[in-house]
């Protein structure tokens, strides 16, 4: 079986962690990456999403490299990627994007895991590693979002709509003590600072930086605030 299937199975079962390594990681830095739109859905729109499938990935890779370069001894860097949207875009492009993601993860030396649903994602937060021993030291989200949701799928299955998200009301399904006390968290998507950050802090007692207004991934690096009156807030 292909390596990504094995990784996904381990992810779903929540067994990847200390048993797969010589010693349990002392902490974990997580980067969560949402999926691209389909060009079929977006072609011809005045304001098109995801012209380049790599927009969210490019930003994630830049940040993952920073995390690896600054990682403390015993800290695991994990990259969580919403798989279905990259499968759909792969079919549209006629190329295997999952293989490209795997290649990037190998070069970075990070732990790549694909997920298919928010239930799998929540399961990983809670039980992917022994959270009594391995707290999450940092969290960054790269993808579509609005003030109340991380949108993992957008204009990929249904035009201008999402079928996969993590709503602020889903946060209560994640154990409130999975994060280290001084964890650094940021959503690089649109509008997260308008509600998501507040609900995040309320549940986890850890601040999360989010944008007031929209963010722009189109230039290919880390996203920028789209409007002059936009700002980062927590």
């Amino acid at each position: 079986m292909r390596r990504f299937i094995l990784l996904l199975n381990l992810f779903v079962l929540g067994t990847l962690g200390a048993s797969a390594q010589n010693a349990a990681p002392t902490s974990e830095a997580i980067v969560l990456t949402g999926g691209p739109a389909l060009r079929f859905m977006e072609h011809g729109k005045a304001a098109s999403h995801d012209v380049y499938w790599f927009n969210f990935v490019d930003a994630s890779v830049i940040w993952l490299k920073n995390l690896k370069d600054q990682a403390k001894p015993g800290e695991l860097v994990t990259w969580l990627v919403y798989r279905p949207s990259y499968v759909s875009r792969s079919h549209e492009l006629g190329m295997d994007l999952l293989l490209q993601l795997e290649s990037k993860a190998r070069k970075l030396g990070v732990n790549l895991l694909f997920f298919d649903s928010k239930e799998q994602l929540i399961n990983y937060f809670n039980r992917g590693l022994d959270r009594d021993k391995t707290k999450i030291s940092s969290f960054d989200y790269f993808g579509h979002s609005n003030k109340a949701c991380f949108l993992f799928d957008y204009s990929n299955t249904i035009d201008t709509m999402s079928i996969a998200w993590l709503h602020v009301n889903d946060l209560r399904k994640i154990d409130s003590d999975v994060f280290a006390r001084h964890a650094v968290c940021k959503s690089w998507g649109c509008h997260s600072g308008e509600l998501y950050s507040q609900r995040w802090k309320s549940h986890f007692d850890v601040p999360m930086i989010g944008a007031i207004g929209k963010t722009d991934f189109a230039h290919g690096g880390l996203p920028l605030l789209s409007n002059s009156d936009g700002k980062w807030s927590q």
Side-chain angles (χ1 to χ4, degrees):
M1 299 288 287
R2 288 182 49 177
R3 189 169 65 89
F4 82 86
I5 297 177
L6 174 60
L7 288 173
L8 178 60
N9 288 338
L10 289 171
F11 182 10
V12 175
L13 294 173
T15 59
L16 184 65
S19 63
Q21 304 178 42
N22 294 330
T26 56
S27 61
E28 183 180 30
I30 292 178
V31 170
L32 175 61
T33 303
L38 294 181
R39 295 309 305 146
F40 173 78
M41 303 288 191
E42 295 292 305
H43 179 70
K45 292 183 179 178
S48 180
H49 295 90
D50 308 327
V51 174
Y52 181 35
W53 75 269
F54 195 50
N55 286 156
F56 298 145
V57 173
D58 184 43
S60 299
V61 166
I62 292 170
W63 200 251
L64 285 161
K65 186 178 186 306
N66 289 340
L67 291 172
K68 282 293 291 183
D69 289 345
Q70 299 172 21
K72 298 176 181 178
E75 184 174 42
L76 178 68
V77 178
T78 295
W79 188 12
L80 304 177
V81 179
Y82 182 67
R83 187 182 69 90
S85 289
Y86 291 95
V87 172
S88 298
R89 192 69 180 260
S90 292
H91 293 159
E92 186 178 57
L93 291 173
M95 57 191 297
D96 193 334
L97 302 182
L98 299 182
L99 284 179
Q100 294 196 35
L101 293 170
E102 291 171 4
S103 176
K104 294 179 188 302
R106 283 194 300 271
K107 290 178 181 177
L108 289 165
V110 301
N111 179 40
L112 172 64
L113 297 172
F114 294 101
F115 68 99
D116 288 350
S117 67
K118 70 179 177 185
E119 288 77 19
Q120 290 176 4
L121 179 65
I122 291 168
N123 181 65
Y124 186 78
F125 273 110
N126 289 336
R127 292 179 291 278
L129 295 171
D130 183 347
R131 293 302 174 200
D132 289 333
K133 298 178 180 178
T134 307
K135 298 295 186 184
I136 300 170
S137 55
S138 71
F139 170 83
D140 291 88
Y141 173 65
F142 296 92
H144 291 293
S145 61
N146 59 36
K147 69 178 185 179
C149 292
F150 292 161
L151 303 170
F152 307 131
D153 167 289
Y154 187 81
S155 273
N156 187 284
T157 305
I158 304 173
D159 190 11
T160 66
M161 295 184 66
S162 174
I163 65 164
W165 58 80
L166 189 72
H167 192 273
V168 290
N169 290 338
D170 293 317
L171 294 178
R172 63 174 179 261
K173 300 173 185 177
I174 302 173
D175 295 340
S176 60
D177 61 351
V178 299
F179 287 93
R181 179 173 296 181
H182 301 295
V184 177
C185 302
K186 185 171 183 176
S187 169
W188 298 79
C190 300
H191 302 295
S192 294
E194 298 167 22
L195 176 64
Y196 215 103
S197 292
Q198 294 90 326
R199 295 286 290 274
W200 184 277
K201 176 67 163 62
S202 176
H203 181 66
F204 297 115
D205 197 25
V206 171
M208 183 180 75
I209 298 169
I212 304 294
K214 293 183 177 181
T215 58
D216 181 9
F217 286 80
H219 61 93
L222 291 175
L224 302 173
L225 294 167
S226 299
N227 304 319
S228 60
D229 58 348
K231 63 180 181 178
W232 297 104
S233 174
Q234 59 183 35

